[in-house]
Amino acid sequence: MDSVSIISLFVGIIGTMIAVYQAAIIRESKKRASELQYILAGINNAALQKQQAWQNQISTLPKLESSQDWEMGRLYLRAKDDFAEIASLTIALEGTIDVDHSAIKDMMDKSIDIVKKNNQLQEEGMKNPLFTQGHRATEA
């Protein structure tokens, strides 16, 4: 082998190593972006749950009559609105990571599927003859 062939082989090996390294870096950066999206999706989910919790608290408030009652009502509404804002911000931040894929949407779709399956399980449980016989025995 002459020196040009050896140098050419050496450059080819280095080029291949660089290409493999770049592919690994790209793959890892996509994983990190996906991880960040799912972290934001978790924050979004928690913010939506807190927003609903505040809405539940608002719905249990007695009739607002005094100025203190109104101030408390405003604070509850403000807390609910703050969590809605956090949820909106996480959606915007997640969209900057990958506009074609949404971890928030994936989590919501998964939640809907879980609820549907849970409802199906409950329906099947209601068909259980032991349950219906026990239910009739308590009615008698």
Side-chain angles (χ1 to χ4, degrees):
M1 252 189 183
D2 62 352
S3 61
V4 174
S5 296
I6 293 173
I7 293 172
S8 177
L9 177 65
F10 187 66
V11 169
I13 291 171
I14 291 174
T16 302
M17 290 171 50
I18 290 171
V20 168
Y21 175 76
Q22 286 177 334
I25 293 294
I26 290 169
R27 193 169 35 254
E28 283 301 312
S29 68
K30 286 182 180 179
K31 284 182 187 176
R32 294 285 179 237
S34 180
E35 289 172 2
L36 188 56
Q37 276 188 293
Y38 278 94
I39 288 170
L40 288 169
I43 293 169
N44 176 271
N45 191 31
L48 290 174
Q49 288 176 355
K50 281 298 192 184
Q51 182 184 8
Q52 185 60 49
W54 280 107
Q55 182 59 49
N56 293 343
Q57 290 296 316
I58 291 167
S59 68
T60 63
L61 288 174
K63 186 175 182 182
L64 303 178
E65 295 175 351
S66 70
S67 62
Q68 286 179 326
D69 292 344
W70 279 102
E71 185 61 29
M72 183 175 57
R74 278 195 285 285
L75 287 173
Y76 281 27
L77 286 170
R78 175 66 192 263
K80 180 184 137 254
D81 291 345
D82 287 346
F83 282 107
E85 187 175 334
I86 291 170
S88 294
L89 288 172
T90 58
I91 291 170
L93 287 171
E94 190 216 12
T96 62
I97 295 169
D98 187 350
V99 294
D100 296 326
H101 175 260
S102 172
I104 292 171
K105 182 183 177 302
D106 288 350
M107 286 182 72
M108 288 180 173
D109 289 343
K110 190 172 190 174
S111 294
I112 289 169
D113 289 343
I114 289 170
V115 168
K116 285 179 180 177
K117 287 180 181 180
N118 186 37
N119 290 342
Q120 287 175 339
L121 282 174
Q122 289 179 10
E123 285 177 24
E124 290 300 316
M126 297 297 283
K127 294 176 185 176
N128 185 341
L130 294 175
F131 177 77
T132 55
Q133 287 173 355
H135 184 63
R136 287 185 192 134
T138 58
E139 288 179 348

